[in-house]
Amino acid sequence: MREINAKLTQEMGDLARDLLASGEVKGVFGWTKGSRWYLTPPVFITKPEEADQLCYDEFAVNNLTGLLLDFRDSQDKIAIFVKGCDSRGIVRLVQDNQLKRENVLVIGVPCPGMGDKGAVTDHRQAQELPLLAKCLECRYPNPVLADRTIGGVTVTTEPSAAPSGATAEAAKGRGVGSKQADRFAQVEAIEKMSPDERSAFWQAQNEKCIRCYACRNICPACNCRECIFDSDKKNWVNKAATPTDNAFFGITRAMHVAGRCVECGECERVCPMDIPIMAMNRKLIGDLNELFGPYDAGVKPEEKPPLGAFKLDDPEEFM
């Protein structure tokens, strides 16, 4: 993988350098090598000579699309590198009118599956790491849209397509997408609990939440200009991190992204308290699929989310 990563990094840097030098874009979102072998955090560059900062490997896990919100009022064109899951965030922002499609240059990259840094046992010595659970459950390993690509990746909106491009063999070998069928397993396990057991389960999760809002801040679907949880108006929301107020936050957040969640799993990955946030998201995804038919958010820009449009044959048992 090291040789493949080096070639992709070189290709990434060359393209970014050309885009900035030509003036086609004003800035480029990508990843850079961090202070540890297992860290490849986001970077934003604006000059051709900064292109050498870019890096791509199996730790470039951050979904960068939410960072584009800093440019939603700008007329500057920005380039962004995206993996398959990230690209669904671009569709999310375009559908929500938070991003003008013509103001972003989307560059698709092949994804080898991202390593789980939680399994690191030696911070000084590189080691083989298992994949993140979200990569094992991934159904869109290839970009669903892109203006350009690197590494020979294929752009497709086909669900469950095989990984493509330079990292395809590595992705298959590591098991990317091998547990797609299990993505609702946790929801089903929780639904089998008795009401008291379910209440105790979520009470325990709500007691852990510290209201850091990392889940909200990383989410491309949480893109409101003003969030109710930032409001300082009295009697709107309580900012104290009590189990009751945390439950209100968690349910409000989940309902807010219902039918819009692109399943990138970033909310759960960045949660410092290991709260199973995707279980709640997937509960709503499953319910909406049952009510309105199968739907994958953030795949086709022309398709309206099930709760974003009205049809005469919509189910109305709840009315």
Side-chain angles (χ1 to χ4, degrees):
M1 274 301 297
R2 184 174 299 177
E3 186 176 338
I4 294 174
N5 290 339
K7 288 182 178 178
L8 289 171
T9 295
Q10 182 66 48
E11 198 172 350
M12 184 178 282
D14 290 344
L15 177 54
R17 190 177 298 106
D18 288 345
L19 290 171
L20 290 167
S22 67
E24 185 173 348
V25 302
K26 292 294 186 181
V28 179
F29 279 113
W31 303 273
T32 190
K33 201 57 203 167
S35 56
R36 301 277 187 178
W37 59 267
Y38 52 85
L39 298 177
T40 311
V43 67
F44 181 65
I45 61 172
T46 57
K47 301 175 182 176
E49 56 268 31
E50 294 173 338
D52 290 338
Q53 296 179 26
L54 291 168
C55 177
Y56 186 66
D57 59 19
E58 61 270 35
F59 303 107
V61 62
N62 294 68
N63 185 338
L64 309 174
T65 54
L67 299 174
L68 289 170
L69 292 172
D70 288 345
F71 294 90
R72 61 182 151 195
D73 295 323
S74 171
Q75 296 305 311
D76 291 340
K77 190 166 188 174
I78 303 297
I80 184 171
F81 290 96
V82 297
K83 306 179 297 292
C85 53
D86 308 335
S87 67
R88 296 176 66 184
I90 298 288
V91 176
R92 171 79 285 126
L93 295 177
V94 170
Q95 285 184 321
D96 290 347
N97 294 319
Q98 298 296 325
L99 181 69
K100 291 181 179 177
R101 181 65 182 89
E102 62 271 23
N103 285 352
V104 60
L105 182 74
V106 183
I107 308 168
V109 299
C111 181
M114 297 291 120
D116 183 0
K117 68 176 183 179
V120 171
T121 57
D122 187 338
H123 295 276
R124 295 165 297 182
Q125 186 68 35
Q127 63 188 96
E128 189 73 21
L129 296 178
L131 284 186
L132 287 166
K134 68 173 193 170
C135 298
L136 295 171
E137 298 169 349
C138 178
R139 296 173 62 237
Y140 290 92
N142 307 305
V144 299
L145 87 166
D147 301 302
R148 302 191 190 183
T149 61
I150 65 170
V153 71
T154 301
V155 179
T156 176
T157 58
E158 189 67 28
S160 304
S164 66
T167 62
E169 290 305 314
K172 293 173 187 173
R174 302 177 74 198
V176 170
S178 61
K179 295 187 177 180
Q180 295 176 18
D182 297 336
R183 70 193 235 270
F184 289 104
Q186 189 174 28
V187 175
E188 293 166 358
I190 295 172
E191 288 181 331
K192 288 178 181 176
M193 297 177 182
S194 69
D196 286 346
E197 288 173 334
R198 275 202 301 272
S199 176
F201 174 82
W202 287 114
Q203 175 74 8
Q205 306 308 320
N206 292 326
E207 287 176 354
K208 292 192 298 184
C209 178
I210 57 175
R211 294 281 284 281
C212 65
Y213 298 132
C215 56
R216 177 198 66 177
N217 296 344
I218 195 79
C219 177
C222 276
N223 53 44
C224 296
R225 287 179 180 271
E226 293 184 43
C227 176
I228 183 176
F229 291 99
D230 289 335
S231 173
D232 57 3
K233 293 181 180 177
K234 291 182 178 179
N235 302 322
W236 273 74
V237 292
N238 192 336
K239 295 183 181 301
T242 66
T244 300
D245 292 305
N246 292 345
F248 180 71
F249 164 68
I251 293 171
T252 303
R253 186 209 59 79
M255 294 301 296
H256 180 56
V257 303
R260 302 169 55 248
C261 171
V262 299
E263 296 189 77
C264 66
E266 284 290 86
C267 53
E268 186 168 299
R269 183 186 67 83
V270 301
C271 177
M273 306 310 293
D274 295 325
I275 296 172
I277 298 171
M278 283 303 295
M280 193 171 292
N281 292 345
R282 287 207 166 113
K283 165 62 178 168
L284 292 170
I285 290 170
D287 286 353
L288 289 171
N289 286 347
E290 186 176 333
L291 286 167
F292 297 94
Y295 175 75
D296 288 332
V299 176
K300 298 177 181 177
E302 67 278 11
E303 283 188 353
K304 293 186 180 297
L307 298 182
F310 172 74
K311 297 177 182 176
L312 290 176
D313 59 349
D314 278 347
E316 53 181 356
E317 292 86 351
F318 53 92
M319 297 183 69

